[in-house]
Amino acid sequence: MLVRHTVPHPSLLPFIETYWCWESEAEPAGRLPRILPSAESEVLLHYRTPLRTMSLDGTVLKLPHAAVAGPQTRPCDLLPGLEGNQPGPVGIIGIRFRPGAFRLFCRLPADGLTDAILPLEEAWGTVSRELLHRLQETPDWQRRTRLLDDALLKLLESRQPARTPVDHALSMLRSVQPDGRPAVRAVCDALAVSERQLERWFLGRVGLPPKRYARLARFQLTLIRLLEPGGTPSGLLPLEYGYYDQAHFLRELRSLAGAPLASFREQPDFLSFFYNTPGASSRNLEWNQNGEGERCHEAVEVQWLDAARDGGHP
């Protein structure tokens, strides 16, 4: 599987973390990774066979060619798309929005996207069809990223978002480390608003209540750090992020991810790519200030786990 990963135009960086791409000429070897709960939204643009998702209860959903996935509070597994009865080749471009940012690029209510994957046309209208068509006709990755930049900058210009108290609350709930991470009440006091008002703001902008957002942010940050090579010993790290002990975090991992920690340590390339952890795909997460205004691009080969190792998908 070829993985590409590139930062967007600097004007988009406050809203978008990365552009990414998965590509294979044939059926991908092994199984695709599990997607974990997250407060981010993703735009998914398939230029080959659309992927499928499978929830933990076994429900399989075929993704639209152009889709938007809102914040997810439950994990799901990814499956290759089908051409007839056979898995087809993978070709997908993703736009990962920062928490609460996708709402600034459309008029859909954020809470309507939570735990949902919708046709992108519901959010962007004909822009989604036009963008997908142009991406399908453009095989070069650098030209594709410029197409994404152009489309998103136009959407952003039409909305002209301004920084709001929600942005401050998002930053406070994610960046402050315990001793400890601020309680929602402390954030409300800092912003001089009630908890009910803050929750209304979060549901309208992020799609999650502030306590749920803080829980997912803490979980994601802890998991990223645990999977970094040569980092803090795993028995101590959860304490830094406000868990009572390692057992507390492992229970949270089972609850939110539906799998033990060891299963994610077997997929370092995936986590390096998907969660921006240090590793194979992190070196291009900077804008290349070489006097020409061109960004860094990187493509890496990733070998997913062999499905036979753990029984594969049903």
Side-chain angles (χ1 to χ4, degrees):
M1 178 80 72
L2 182 66
V3 170
R4 294 185 173 94
H5 206 190
T6 298
V7 292
H9 186 279
S11 297
L12 295 168
L13 281 173
F15 314 103
I16 296 170
E17 292 183 7
T18 187
Y19 302 144
W20 54 268
C21 175
W22 295 351
E23 185 173 290
S24 71
E25 295 295 336
E27 172 191 353
R31 68 175 175 87
L32 296 172
R34 172 165 293 183
I35 303 303
L36 304 183
S38 171
E40 290 91 352
S41 293
E42 303 261 2
V43 164
L44 307 171
L45 301 158
H46 294 89
Y47 57 91
R48 290 181 177 163
T49 310
L51 297 176
R52 298 172 295 154
T53 63
M54 184 174 67
S55 61
L56 296 187
D57 66 6
T59 302
V60 176
L61 171 69
K62 179 183 177 181
L63 298 181
H65 275 86
V68 55
Q72 303 294 309
T73 64
R74 299 182 292 269
C76 69
D77 291 314
L78 289 176
L79 305 175
L82 296 178
E83 293 186 352
N85 294 322
Q86 299 298 318
V90 173
I92 179 173
I93 294 169
I95 306 169
R96 184 174 309 127
F97 288 81
R98 300 185 189 278
F102 185 73
R103 179 68 180 83
L104 304 176
F105 289 77
C106 73
R107 290 180 169 80
L108 288 179
D111 54 353
L113 285 171
T114 304
D115 287 322
I117 301 177
L118 303 177
L120 185 59
E121 192 169 356
E122 294 187 20
W124 287 356
T126 58
V127 171
S128 63
R129 294 199 305 270
E130 294 167 359
L131 178 59
L132 180 60
H133 178 69
R134 295 183 71 185
L135 291 170
Q136 289 170 331
E137 292 189 331
T138 307
D140 179 73
W141 174 240
Q142 294 191 33
R143 290 178 60 196
R144 281 175 167 169
T145 61
R146 292 191 182 98
L147 288 174
L148 296 175
D149 282 345
D150 290 345
L152 290 162
L153 286 169
K154 287 180 182 178
L155 288 169
L156 188 65
E157 182 181 3
S158 67
R159 300 287 290 167
Q160 297 183 337
R163 189 167 176 83
T164 70
V166 177
D167 296 294
H168 295 289
L170 285 166
S171 179
M172 292 175 69
L173 288 172
R174 184 174 179 87
S175 63
V176 177
Q177 306 303 324
D179 33 313
R181 182 172 301 279
V184 170
R185 180 67 260 168
V187 174
C188 291
D189 291 342
L191 298 177
V193 297
S194 68
E195 289 191 33
R196 179 172 293 183
Q197 180 65 52
L198 185 67
E199 182 162 329
R200 283 199 296 267
W201 285 350
F202 262 70
L203 289 174
R205 171 76 179 276
V206 183
L208 298 168
K211 289 182 179 179
R212 176 61 65 88
Y213 167 77
R215 180 188 179 192
L216 292 181
R218 178 175 71 168
F219 168 73
Q220 191 176 61
L221 287 169
T222 307
L223 184 59
I224 288 170
R225 288 284 308 281
L226 280 172
L227 294 166
E228 288 178 357
T232 305
S234 60
L236 300 177
L237 188 60
L239 301 177
E240 294 184 17
Y241 287 89
Y243 293 100
Y244 298 121
D245 50 29
Q246 186 182 33
H248 180 200
F249 171 73
L250 293 178
R251 288 194 298 272
E252 184 80 330
L253 181 67
R254 284 280 189 181
S255 173
L256 290 176
L261 182 61
S263 66
F264 298 103
R265 284 190 163 132
E266 292 174 338
Q267 301 186 64
D269 287 327
F270 157 66
L271 286 158
S272 169
F273 158 67
F274 210 76
Y275 291 105
N276 296 346
T277 60
S281 302
S282 64
R283 293 191 299 276
N284 69 321
L285 295 180
E286 298 177 356
W287 192 269
N288 182 14
Q289 300 295 338
N290 60 3
E292 300 176 3
E294 294 184 359
R295 79 196 89 186
C296 299
H297 299 267
E298 185 173 40
V300 296
E301 290 284 351
V302 172
Q303 180 63 50
W304 306 128
L305 286 175
D306 186 342
R309 290 175 59 181
D310 61 357
H313 290 298

